[in-house]
Amino acid sequence: MSNISMLLNGFSVVLTFQNVSICLLGAILGLIVGAMPGIGSLAGVALLLPLTYKFNPTSAIILLGSLYYSNMFGGSFSAILLNIPGDSPAVMTMLDGYPMAKKGRPGQALFCANISSFIGGAIGLLILTFLGPGMASFGLHFGPQDMTALLLVAMTSIGYLVGKNPIEGIIMTLVGILISSIGMDPQSGAPRYNFNNMYLMGGIPFVPFVIGTVGFSQVLRLMSERNDRVDDEILKQRLTIKGSLLTRHDFRRMLPFAVRSGVLGTFVGVLPGAGATTGAFLGYAINRAFKSEESFGSGAIEGIASCEAANNAAAAGAFAPLLALGIPGSGTGAVLLGGLMMWGLSPGPLLFRNNPEFAWGLIASLFFANLIALVIAIGLIPFLIKILTVPVKIIIPVVTVICFVGSYANTYSMYGVVVMFISGIVSYICEKSGYSTAPMILSFVLAPLLESNMRKALITSQGSLRIFFTSPIACTFIIILFIIISFMIIRYFSRSSKTTMEGGK
Amino acid sequence: MDKLLIIALTLSLILPLHSKGSQEVAQTDFKPTKEITWYCTSKPGGGSDIYTRAICEIAVQNGLLDKAPIINYKTDGSGEVGRNEVANIGQNADYTLLTFNSGDLMPMVANTHNRLSNFTPIAIMATDKQLLFVNPNKGKYSTFEEAIRAAKGGVQIVIAGSKGDDLELYGMLIKELGLRENQMAYITNDSTADAITSGLGGHVDFVMSKPAAASEYVKAGMLVPVLALSSSRFAGALNSAPTLNEVNSMYNNVELPVWRGVVGPANMSKEAAKFYSDMLFEVSCSIAWKEGYLATYSLESSFLDMEAAKAYMEEYQTAYLKKIGK
């Protein structure tokens, strides 16, 4: 039977009153969970899992799948409006989303994030439908040397965040790498930089760290500025869906970036251990090389489209190895895998053959959840952007509470709150001193993945760097890496010479 | 008068005995009257979480507990914070339980000063053992004997596995084979699923896994078991894998049974520990446990009550501390 007829069968499973209701519930919960900083899809799915034991497996996976998927939509809300990422992939959305909201276009930023998420998701799901098992096998070809080279390409996105202060940027990048190395050595399991502290043995948790670095430091900044005035531009906004619509020009600007990121993100999602966060980072880094009307990082609609489409597509792509091979592509995938076993199914290479109604029912439900999440998310825009009109004296305590609750919810302990508090204060001081914290966050996310893969590759090659040039995939990425770096160097020198010439006149 | 004196004397001797006896009955008859907090030092959705929740659910379903315990996920410091908290709990010791596996004991004694003496062992519920698998389509070696020969001939062999007990077992294996780490290398992955992924991609020579994680790939013909890391062969589809001694009689079998247990704080009363141990025995006898948990995750039933579990865990800790030179 062709994939289309299997998918249609899947829709016949999903489109019952019970499953549509469950899918709707999952999509709403996913949006809420995604929008709440600190919780994320992993905790959302894990907390809901015990409630699904009494469900039949298809209904249960529809609930969890739609929650996971719509969570990707919700993550951008707080990133754009509060400069606090709802989940880790939304870190990149924050870079352009928040400046765009500050420019007086919060509705358009949210609309762009939602429509890009939908486009990325649709591309990812279409690729999953037609090439799912093939893509899963493709992902297996990526060994640690290939992942290392790919992550080095993703690391170049840090270069764009360094901006006009390269030395400060490099220092903050190295600080991020240093902080990420606290915890357990990924190969030997020995504690590293923990100073005999049991909490540090598990490392610095990502979500509280980011909430502190971005969210709590912003609270401190707002407090120090003592500015109670709400931005006039935002007050003038029409708080309606119509007022938030993208213009035809905006849509033309974002579409090619969303499509490119959709395809790229899907393939990143398939790769072992890469996940939606790496997808968003790579989507941003690769698309940065293409011409955009506004520069990335300054509130460019292209920047929002690049990362939002990529992270939703990666979430769809991650289902390919999960369903075709039983390999979870992320922490959330691992929880879903545990769920499959609890429901009496056998996840693995025979799932599509032995339980086609389940596998295709899930894929059909993801299509449905993608559409539902878009409709609900767009409907919420007028209510969401009202957040920006709330006076600073109210925003400060509210955001502070969100920072504390989000940090606690992520770690289930006060340790997360302490990490958030300290990183917030340190980041505030850094930002005040002209050290941007964005390169630190990016290196903090990517460095552990890079270290783990590089060390695995070097164990395999007995320490020889040749492994990065003998593998065709790794070699291709190394060439791309050199091209990107060369492009950045050429651009830096051409700008410097242009500035010198203008100064001479 | 004499009769009255005899009756009074008899009563005066019996009553204290009776009151003491009543006290004894009350002490052994512990039954939880408050909420039980069950610490789990792994994240929700993982193996330890599923194990903990399976016990709780069966205990409530079978009327062994009136109310499901509250599961407290304490994952800080790779679980060490949670284990330390249980070890030092003051009040509520009779209402605190901890999921405790061999994979928890090893890093705990290696990296911290926390020891088994800070806990009250309550039961061991199940054990698991590992095998080595090869990808028949991409693997260079079809038997483990070929790999040993290649390693001794100067070709590096790479095994992928998970952390904790897998890493320890790898150390035992190369020691028995008389090989060095650069002759037979080991890549530590965050999970067995990651190790299997690298095996399916042909990036390593062998994958170390427990039966549950690999069974579907064996059924699909994507992985083939080549070495049972056990003192005897496994049953069913894994029966084709020989033990190390069967591969070559000059080697002893290598095994590191991975046990899943439950402990309480050191100051938990004997009565409470006995109650929980008996409760876990009832859980281990239930069909839901045997078919719903052990069969699903291909674990071996190996119930040990509080006394036997204590002896087993202590022996395990002593051997491990000696091995790491502590």
Side-chain angles (χ1 to χ4, degrees):
Chain A
M1 213 189 292
S2 73
N3 288 9
I4 291 184
S5 54
M6 295 297 276
L7 181 65
L8 291 175
N9 280 348
F11 273 111
S12 70
V13 172
V14 174
L15 295 175
T16 62
F17 178 73
Q18 180 190 321
N19 286 343
V20 167
S21 310
I22 284 173
C23 192
L24 193 64
L25 175 69
I28 294 169
L29 287 174
L31 281 170
I32 295 168
V33 165
M36 291 168 75
I39 299 185
S41 63
L42 176 62
V45 170
L47 292 172
L48 210 58
L49 187 66
L51 305 178
T52 64
Y53 293 151
K54 304 284 181 268
F55 285 34
N56 73 60
T58 311
S59 299
I61 196 71
I62 287 172
L63 177 67
L64 298 184
S66 55
L67 184 148
Y68 171 51
Y69 210 66
S70 63
N71 173 79
M72 295 291 157
F73 280 74
S76 62
F77 296 168
S78 56
I80 291 169
L81 299 173
L82 300 171
N83 207 23
I84 303 172
D87 54 7
S88 52
V91 169
M92 299 307 286
T93 311
M94 202 172 64
L95 296 176
D96 281 287
Y98 188 65
M100 189 168 165
K102 293 292 279 181
K103 280 181 185 174
R105 302 189 72 204
Q108 282 77 10
L110 286 167
F111 203 98
C112 173
N114 291 330
I115 202 82
S116 308
S117 295
F118 176 77
I119 292 169
I123 292 171
L125 291 170
L126 284 171
I127 296 176
L128 175 68
T129 303
F130 294 103
L131 304 171
M135 273 174 56
S137 303
F138 164 79
L140 291 178
H141 287 106
F142 274 70
Q145 64 281 4
D146 309 313
M147 286 302 294
T148 305
L150 178 71
L151 287 161
L152 283 172
V153 173
M155 278 288 226
T156 60
S157 59
I158 294 173
Y160 297 115
L161 300 172
V162 166
K164 291 173 187 170
N165 307 315
I167 301 295
E168 285 86 341
I170 290 167
I171 289 170
M172 293 308 281
T173 304
L174 295 174
V175 170
I177 294 172
L178 185 67
I179 295 171
S180 74
S181 65
I182 295 171
M184 296 282 196
D185 181 288
Q187 279 303 311
S188 67
R192 221 166 44 173
Y193 302 128
N194 72 318
F195 307 103
N196 283 328
N197 182 305
M198 256 187 278
Y199 285 96
L200 291 178
M201 208 179 276
I204 303 293
F206 173 71
V207 172
F209 177 72
V210 173
I211 290 177
T213 305
V214 183
F216 193 60
S217 69
Q218 188 186 228
V219 168
L220 297 175
R221 185 179 57 78
L222 288 171
M223 283 163 71
S224 66
E225 284 175 0
R226 293 164 187 262
N227 183 2
D228 197 27
R229 192 176 60 87
V230 177
D231 204 327
D232 289 343
E233 282 297 317
I234 293 164
L235 279 178
K236 284 178 201 162
Q237 282 283 309
R238 291 169 63 195
L239 304 177
T240 60
I241 296 176
K242 203 176 169 189
S244 307
L245 286 177
L246 297 177
T247 63
R248 189 175 289 180
H249 178 65
D250 287 334
F251 194 71
R252 276 196 200 135
R253 280 173 64 188
M254 49 95 38
L255 188 62
F257 288 84
V259 172
R260 262 196 303 273
S261 274
V263 176
L264 177 77
T266 309
F267 284 95
V268 172
V270 171
L271 304 179
T277 309
T278 314
F281 282 29
L282 263 172
Y284 197 83
I286 301 284
N287 268 324
R288 183 68 179 77
F290 292 88
K291 196 177 173 186
S292 61
E293 203 169 289
E294 288 170 275
S295 58
F296 275 47
S298 65
I301 200 164
E302 295 90 342
I304 300 173
S306 298
C307 40
E308 277 299 312
N311 78 44
N312 273 51
F319 277 99
L322 182 71
L323 294 176
L325 297 170
I327 295 169
S330 62
T332 314
V335 178
L336 287 174
L337 198 70
L340 297 183
M341 287 191 267
M342 292 300 280
W343 302 319
L345 295 169
S346 302
L350 303 178
L351 185 71
F352 264 102
R353 200 174 74 193
N354 295 344
N355 303 90
E357 75 294 337
F358 173 84
W360 287 102
L362 168 63
I363 295 175
S365 76
L366 293 178
F367 273 103
F368 196 60
N370 197 30
L371 189 65
I372 288 177
L374 176 72
V375 173
I376 298 172
I378 288 178
L380 286 174
I381 289 176
F383 304 102
L384 288 170
I385 52 180
K386 281 186 181 166
I387 291 171
L388 292 174
T389 64
V390 176
V392 171
K393 64 183 176 189
I394 295 172
I395 275 285
I396 287 175
V398 170
V399 175
T400 306
V401 169
I402 291 172
C403 290
F404 276 76
V405 172
S407 308
Y408 187 86
N410 183 257
T411 55
Y412 306 102
S413 80
M414 285 305 286
Y415 173 54
V417 177
V418 172
V419 168
M420 181 278 295
F421 194 74
I422 294 172
S423 58
I425 292 171
V426 172
S427 298
Y428 171 72
I429 296 166
C430 288
E431 292 279 358
K432 273 274 179 190
S433 315
Y435 289 77
S436 167
T437 52
M440 178 176 74
I441 296 172
L442 262 69
S443 62
F444 180 80
V445 174
L446 295 177
L449 281 171
L450 184 63
E451 185 199 0
S452 169
N453 281 289
M454 186 179 275
R455 287 180 66 181
K456 284 178 190 173
L458 292 174
I459 288 172
T460 312
S461 70
Q462 294 184 287
S464 169
L465 291 174
R466 279 188 59 203
I467 194 167
F468 300 111
F469 300 96
T470 50
S471 155
I473 298 172
C475 197
T476 307
F477 282 116
I478 294 287
I479 291 167
I480 293 172
L481 177 71
F482 279 118
I483 291 170
I484 292 175
I485 292 173
S486 308
F487 177 74
M488 289 165 87
I489 292 169
I490 291 166
R491 203 178 55 167
Y492 176 76
F493 280 110
S494 66
R495 271 187 190 168
S496 302
S497 59
K498 203 174 168 184
T499 314
T500 315
M501 281 171 72
E502 280 171 0
K505 283 178 189 175
Chain B
M1 185 67 195
D2 287 351
K3 280 181 184 173
L4 277 175
L5 194 65
I6 290 165
I7 290 167
L9 193 64
T10 310
L11 280 174
S12 67
L13 289 169
I14 288 170
L15 282 173
L17 281 175
H18 181 75
S19 63
K20 182 68 181 169
S22 305
Q23 199 181 342
E24 274 175 2
V25 169
Q27 277 176 359
T28 51
D29 199 19
F30 172 84
K31 187 147 174 63
T33 50
K34 292 194 289 183
E35 272 179 338
I36 299 163
T37 303
W38 194 315
Y39 282 72
C40 179
T41 52
S42 299
K43 284 195 171 177
S48 293
D49 175 41
I50 291 170
Y51 163 78
T52 309
R53 279 194 278 107
I55 293 175
C56 294
E57 205 173 302
I58 295 167
V60 174
Q61 275 171 1
N62 292 358
L64 303 168
L65 288 177
D66 295 336
K67 206 172 166 189
I70 297 167
I71 301 177
N72 187 355
Y73 298 99
K74 274 276 177 190
T75 58
D76 297 332
S78 295
E80 297 305 345
V81 174
R83 289 190 275 276
N84 192 53
E85 205 169 299
V86 173
N88 294 302
I89 216 143
Q91 293 179 333
N92 240 16
D94 285 358
Y95 293 88
T96 305
L97 295 170
L98 167 72
T99 294
F100 194 69
N101 309 323
S102 50
D104 298 326
L105 186 143
M106 285 187 282
M108 182 184 84
V109 298
N111 301 324
T112 72
H113 299 296
N114 206 358
R115 295 290 180 268
L116 194 60
S117 54
N118 297 329
F119 301 97
T120 302
I122 291 171
I124 285 179
M125 300 291 285
T127 52
D128 215 350
K129 289 178 187 171
Q130 296 92 331
L131 296 101
L132 284 190
F133 297 87
V134 69
N135 178 341
N137 304 314
K138 293 182 179 174
K140 290 180 217 152
Y141 311 100
S142 54
T143 66
F144 193 63
E145 196 174 6
E146 288 173 32
I148 297 171
R149 270 203 305 271
K152 296 209 165 170
V155 179
Q156 191 194 37
I157 303 296
V158 181
I159 299 172
S162 187
K163 298 177 280 193
D165 37 63
D166 282 8
L167 185 58
E168 285 302 318
L169 184 57
Y170 155 74
M172 291 164 68
L173 178 65
I174 58 166
K175 192 178 173 191
E176 182 59 33
L177 296 173
L179 294 170
R180 292 188 305 277
E181 284 184 9
N182 60 342
Q183 290 175 296
M184 188 170 274
Y186 185 82
I187 292 181
T188 311
N189 290 272
D190 283 339
S191 66
T192 305
D194 291 348
I196 289 176
T197 306
S198 59
L200 296 179
H203 306 296
V204 294
D205 298 308
F206 296 99
V207 175
M208 187 182 287
S209 170
K210 296 177 189 86
S215 61
E216 286 301 307
Y217 302 97
V218 174
K219 275 187 210 164
M222 296 167 85
L223 289 179
V224 172
V226 290
L227 180 68
L229 292 160
S230 169
S231 52
S232 59
R233 287 193 182 216
F234 284 75
L238 305 173
N239 187 253
S240 61
T243 64
L244 190 58
N245 183 255
E246 287 174 333
V247 168
N248 190 325
S249 57
M250 67 184 279
Y251 303 123
N252 294 313
N253 286 327
V254 172
E255 69 169 8
L256 185 67
V258 180
W259 44 265
R260 287 195 178 277
V262 178
V263 298
N267 57 346
M268 177 182 265
S269 69
K270 276 184 184 172
E271 292 74 26
K274 175 87 171 56
F275 169 82
Y276 291 122
S277 187
D278 291 347
M279 178 202 83
L280 291 172
F281 173 70
E282 294 294 327
V283 168
S284 75
C285 293
S286 69
I287 293 170
W289 178 255
K290 286 175 184 164
E291 292 177 8
Y293 180 75
L294 295 178
T296 305
Y297 296 100
S298 306
L299 291 163
E300 284 176 31
S301 177
S302 55
F303 181 82
L304 296 180
D305 67 8
M306 55 188 285
E307 298 299 333
K310 186 182 180 199
Y312 186 85
M313 288 181 191
E314 278 176 351
E315 195 182 324
Y316 197 95
Q317 178 180 267
T318 308
Y320 185 67
L321 284 170
K322 191 180 167 190
K323 186 172 173 289
I324 59 173
K326 275 198 164 185

